[in-house]
Amino acid sequence: MQMLARSYLTYEITGSASLLGVVAMGNAFPMIALSFFGGAFADRFNRKRIIQAGQAVFATLALLIGLAIATDQVTWIHLLVAAVIQGAAFSFMMPARQSIIPQLVGPGQLANAIALNAAAMSAMTLASPGFAGVLYALTGPDNVYFIMSGLGVTAVAVTSMVPQTGGGPVKKKGSMLKDIGEGMSYIRRSPLIMSLLIMGLATTLLAMPFRQLMPVFVVDIYHMGPEYMGLLLSVMGGSSLVGALFVASLSRWRRGLLLIIIGSFMTGVALLLIASVPLYIAAIFFMIPLGLGDAARRTLNQSLALEVADNQYRGRVMGVFMLNRGMMPLGVLPTALLMEFIGARIAIGILAMLLLTFTTLILVTQKHMREIS
């Protein structure tokens, strides 16, 4: 819901793709700066409480932005500040959220649990944008934010039902910086984790900016309103749900190859089609491979990394993998600037070609990743 409401509201207020990119980039710097600390916190402290604290921050921010909109006080600066605070909270919540999964289900069910977790998120991506787009068009963005706030409060309550697991087996005494350094050394000693991290960062920079900059396509190319953007996001969410359920049903067969071919190649081809065909009806169909590829890439990348990592380092490994999300807005601003100067379709076409080129190099050179079972 926020992906639609914040991006569309920003573009509605400013009419600028560049400022839309700036707001989208607002959560990048805290996520990059604090993700290492968030991972160390997840290995030291109660992961459940960290998750709930992040959910409470999101609920509070949504309420404040909703009130600012309702009183005609909101500006793009408010949305930027909220994005920065959310990025900081996300840096602590997400490593705890991901690293708690192995403690809840055990190693034998880890890949399926991560895929089902992704499927739940994809289900919300299917339902929420369409609802948010219609609500935005009919009643205004303030009501979208008020509902998001209520959902945040609900999330805190539901998370209270998760069993207590504590953090990882790291002693709580000693320097947090030392814990971070040990985690980085551990990642450097694991070639597979390093390869997965590099691939995740590169594909995020090239594949994800389109999502944040979709209002430019919806408004300037398709000449549609927010409800139509909601439909595009819902179709993408539906195909992501199918992709996540497909990954959940997989046995341990060539998952590394599937990550490369289904995850990255399919995403690159979908973006190239979106850039080539300036028709809204066509874009609806192109959202299907885009969602499938995105779900396969994220789910397989994360599950493989968690399976390889030792439990005492899982929080810190996920903290480093949070750089994927932090780097995404850093890819948004250059893409937004390209859109301003050379056009939205050409900018997304360039990203698609770079993604396909990078994926081809990975496929040819990274034999150990191709052979991951």
Side-chain angles (χ1 to χ4, degrees):
M1 291 177 69
Q2 179 170 252
M3 184 186 301
L4 183 142
R6 184 167 66 192
S7 60
Y8 201 92
L9 179 61
T10 301
Y11 197 63
E12 193 172 52
I13 291 172
T14 66
S16 169
S18 298
L19 289 178
L20 175 59
V22 169
V23 172
M25 198 176 69
N27 55 14
F29 294 112
M31 288 170 68
I32 292 171
L34 298 175
S35 290
F36 298 105
F37 290 94
F41 263 71
D43 283 337
R44 276 186 174 227
F45 303 113
N46 188 294
R47 290 167 177 168
K48 173 180 173 179
R49 298 307 179 202
I50 296 172
I51 295 167
Q52 289 181 301
Q55 292 166 335
V57 170
F58 293 159
T60 303
L61 286 172
L63 176 61
L64 293 175
I65 293 297
L67 290 172
I69 298 170
T71 57
D72 292 324
Q73 301 296 315
V74 71
T75 68
W76 70 271
I77 298 292
H78 293 102
L79 301 175
L80 175 62
V81 171
V84 171
I85 298 173
Q86 285 182 338
F90 215 74
S91 302
F92 290 88
M93 185 179 76
M94 287 309 293
R97 181 186 176 94
Q98 301 305 328
S99 59
I100 201 175
I101 296 175
Q103 295 177 282
L104 296 175
V105 301
Q109 307 297 326
L110 179 57
N112 302 78
I114 291 174
L116 290 172
N117 183 53
M121 293 184 178
S122 298
M124 289 299 97
T125 308
L126 168 64
S128 298
F131 171 68
V134 173
L135 187 66
Y136 190 114
L138 295 178
T139 67
D142 51 340
N143 287 310
V144 179
Y145 274 93
F146 289 143
I147 290 177
M148 284 194 289
S149 179
L151 290 171
V153 174
T154 303
V156 175
V158 172
T159 305
S160 66
M161 292 185 271
V162 173
Q164 292 285 357
T165 60
V170 174
K171 296 180 180 179
K172 296 185 180 180
K173 297 180 180 179
S175 169
M176 187 72 70
L177 292 176
K178 182 180 178 181
D179 287 352
I180 293 172
E182 290 175 352
M184 296 299 294
S185 297
Y186 173 77
I187 292 172
R188 285 196 299 268
R189 295 194 303 269
S190 175
L192 181 53
I193 292 179
M194 280 294 296
S195 296
L196 290 168
L197 176 62
I198 291 170
M199 186 172 183
L201 288 174
T203 52
T204 295
L205 284 171
L206 297 172
M208 298 305 287
F210 172 73
R211 288 192 175 203
Q212 299 291 333
L213 297 170
M214 194 183 293
V216 180
F217 273 75
V218 173
V219 175
D220 293 345
I221 296 176
Y222 305 140
H223 306 292
M224 300 290 187
E227 64 273 29
Y228 292 92
M229 179 176 164
L231 177 59
L232 291 180
L233 289 173
S234 292
V235 172
M236 187 191 302
S239 56
S240 294
L241 173 59
V242 173
L245 291 174
F246 169 73
V247 173
S249 68
L250 285 177
S251 61
R252 300 173 66 89
W253 180 83
R254 306 299 294 272
R255 289 179 294 165
L257 190 61
L258 291 173
L259 167 63
I260 297 171
I261 294 178
I262 296 181
S264 294
F265 268 121
M266 187 178 290
T267 301
V269 170
L271 287 174
L272 192 59
L273 289 170
I274 290 168
S276 302
V277 184
L279 297 174
Y280 178 79
I281 296 297
I284 294 175
F285 290 98
F286 298 153
M287 291 299 110
I288 297 173
L290 189 63
L292 287 171
D294 182 54
R297 185 181 68 253
R298 287 186 291 107
T299 304
L300 288 170
N301 192 285
Q302 189 177 100
S303 62
L304 289 171
L306 277 173
E307 284 183 21
V308 173
D310 295 329
N311 183 46
Q312 65 265 35
Y313 292 105
R314 279 178 175 146
R316 281 164 285 181
V317 169
M318 286 297 100
V320 174
F321 269 73
M322 273 292 297
L323 290 173
N324 290 352
R325 292 180 176 271
M327 289 292 185
M328 180 176 67
L330 293 184
V332 171
L333 184 56
T335 305
L337 293 174
L338 278 177
M339 286 182 171
E340 293 274 12
F341 290 104
I342 64 176
R345 294 172 59 198
I346 296 176
I348 296 302
I350 291 173
L351 293 188
M353 293 304 299
L354 289 174
L355 178 58
L356 291 171
T357 301
F358 172 79
T359 306
T360 302
L361 290 174
I362 292 292
L363 181 63
V364 172
T365 62
Q366 300 298 312
K367 181 180 178 181
H368 64 287
M369 186 177 292
R370 296 198 305 266
E371 295 178 349
I372 301 173
S373 61

